[in-house]
Every structure is written in C-alpha cells, then in structure tokens.
Amino acid sequence: MGKSILQIKELRKYYGSGDAQVKALDGVNFEVYEGEMLVLLGNSGCGKSTLLNIIGGMDSPTSGEVLLNGEDISKYNDKKLTQYRKDNIGFIFQFYNLLPDLTALENVRLSLNGKDEEHKAEKTLELVGLKEKMNHYPSQMSGGEQQRVSIARALVKGASLILCDEPTGALDDKTGRNVLVLLQKLVREEGQTLVVVTHTTPIASMANRVLHLRDGKIDFTEINEHPTNAEDIVW
Ligand code: ADP
Ligand code: MG
C-alpha cells in the first residue's frame, strides 16, 4: 500500500437546524493511500456525494478536517478552494459535464489552464482510446465516449486524486464495464489514486478497499486482497 495522501478526521456536514436538521455526514474518519482504488458504497441519501464534494473542494464541511498532502482545506474560502481543485483534483461525474460547444480535445485542454500542452491533451485522449475522435463535439459522441473524454480531462493535469461520482450511472452495462476497465487501468498501470462513489455492490469488488456508508457514518470497511478484474464484473 502506498503512503497516506488524504486524511479525513471527524468530518460532519449538517443541513438545516432543529427538527428539520439533516446530518449528511456525522463523524467520518478515514485515509486514502496513494495508488489505491477506494470505493464509497451505500444507499441513496447516505452521504456519498456530500463526502466526495467536500474532498473535491466543491463544498465545505460543518466541522472536521480534510488534509490532502498535509494541507487542511476544511476552512478554505471559495477562492482558495477553486485553486485547490484546479491544482489537485480530477472529477468524473455521472453525466460527464463536458462543455457542449467545445470539441473533445478542447474540453481536455481546458483542464491544462491554457498552458501550451496540446501534445499532452492529444496523448491523453489516445490513452483513453479516442485518438480518432478528438475533434468531435460531445453531441457527436456516445455516452461511453463522452465519459472517456471526461476521464481524459481528469487525468491530463496530473491530479493527486481522481474523484468519480457514479461514473457508470448513465451507461448501459457493456459500455459501463468498458469505462470501469479504463478506470482500473489508470490505477494499475498509471499509478493513479481513485475514490469512486457507487451504489452498485458488484462494482465495489474491483476496489482495493470499500467503505460502507450508512446514515452519514462509515458502517464498516472491507479490504479486497485480490480486487476483481473489471472485465469480469457483472451487474
Ligand atoms: P448520496 O450521494 O449518498 O445519495 P447525498 O450526499 O447526496 O447522498 O445526501 C446525503 C443527505 O443529505 C440526504 O439526506 C440529502 O437529502 C441531504 N442533502 C444533500 N444536499 C443537501 C442540501 N443542499 N440541502 C439539504 N439537504 C441536503
Ligand atoms: Mg449521490
């Protein structure tokens, strides 16, 4: 196991107050190790997206600490969070979130902050199997292809952490499996660190570790000594 790069300590996120208060996260503690795939598993409403969004600097906790590479982001203001996100985080969403007026290549390049790294964007699109389609617009691509563009966008900037929220949630089984194969390749061959949110139990078998969430808390942690190959997952 790699070194610990993310530490979450006593993390809480409460919405509202009094009788209407929702404890989306209610005292969560865990670490993420470099080069692992960690899955957050649990039923709808258990707090998965809230947790991922806080790690990704898209939301702030009510209390607790979030340390990435030793830096505590839990009290950052919006401006510092935006910079943190740009520098450290790749995000893969259920519905891809590509910009419709930009080609695949332009969408990926955007992630490089205008740096002149055309070659890098092209190479990354090649890695995800889209060499032939880099000048296509999202509307000209299938859901699976659009998700590959979003994976390339997350990957190209060399983020410390790639966060995936239901990455196969909008895809059919076969296309979804191909996306999982690609995500597993990023971990096994590129040494990336992935945190993947899902409510689909079979997907968790490909993770190194699985945190089972329930009502804003970690119910238990599962360790897979031998993660399943994504090719073999059926759901
Ligand atoms: P999951 O991703 O596991 O389905 P969420 O993290 O989206 O769960 O939500 C956890 C809980 O917090 C749910 O009860 C949800 O209704 C509540 N919640 C999430 N966002 C908000 C919000 N902005 N305002 C009020 N309640 C929210
Ligand atoms: Mg969610």
Side-chain angles (χ1 to χ4, degrees), residues 48-59 91 93 163 165:
K48 305 182 295 295
S49 294
T50 303
L51 181 52
L52 208 67
N53 290 343
I54 291 173
I55 297 171
M58 303 212 292
D59 198 357
F91 227 114
F93 300 93
L163 307 177
D165 198 348

Side-chain angles (χ1 to χ4, degrees), residues 43-203:
N43 293 334
S44 179
C46 72
K48 305 182 295 295
S49 294
T50 303
L51 181 52
L52 208 67
N53 290 343
I54 291 173
I55 297 171
M58 303 212 292
D59 198 357
S60 295
T62 304
S63 64
E65 291 178 14
V66 178
L67 290 106
L68 183 66
N69 300 321
E71 192 182 342
D72 184 3
I73 65 158
S74 58
K75 288 159 199 79
Y76 275 10
N77 61 23
D78 284 353
K79 191 170 167 229
K80 286 186 88 172
L81 279 180
T82 303
Q83 194 59 45
Y84 160 83
R85 215 160 47 225
K86 270 193 189 149
D87 292 344
N88 299 289
I89 305 292
F91 227 114
I92 297 166
F93 300 93
Q94 180 173 359
F95 296 105
Y96 334 126
N97 292 25
L98 301 176
L99 295 179
D101 296 334
L102 299 183
T103 64
L105 183 60
E106 289 165 345
N107 265 285
V108 173
R109 248 184 1 215
L110 211 58
S111 197
L112 290 168
N113 292 325
K115 277 180 263 167
D116 185 27
E117 294 184 276
E118 183 104 0
H119 186 63
K120 207 164 159 185
E122 286 176 7
K123 274 274 171 239
T124 309
L125 279 163
E126 194 175 336
L127 179 79
V128 302
L130 287 176
K131 188 174 166 36
E132 312 301 325
K133 301 216 168 167
M134 54 189 153
N135 294 315
H136 288 216
Y137 290 91
S139 62
Q140 299 171 315
M141 296 193 223
S142 69
E145 288 167 349
Q146 290 182 63
Q147 193 60 301
R148 283 168 188 276
V149 176
S150 100
I151 291 170
R153 179 183 57 185
L155 193 60
V156 74
K157 60 184 185 176
S160 300
L161 203 52
I162 295 184
L163 307 177
C164 314
D165 198 348
E166 305 276 5
T168 62
L171 303 173
D172 64 69
D173 291 7
K174 183 165 170 280
T175 311
R177 190 173 302 108
N178 289 336
V179 164
L180 295 178
V181 168
L182 176 58
L183 291 176
Q184 192 164 55
K185 180 173 143 182
L186 300 186
V187 173
R188 290 182 172 175
E189 293 172 24
E190 307 287 324
Q192 293 287 321
T193 311
L194 257 62
V195 178
V196 182
V197 156
T198 183
H199 65 271
T200 310
T201 309
I203 292 178

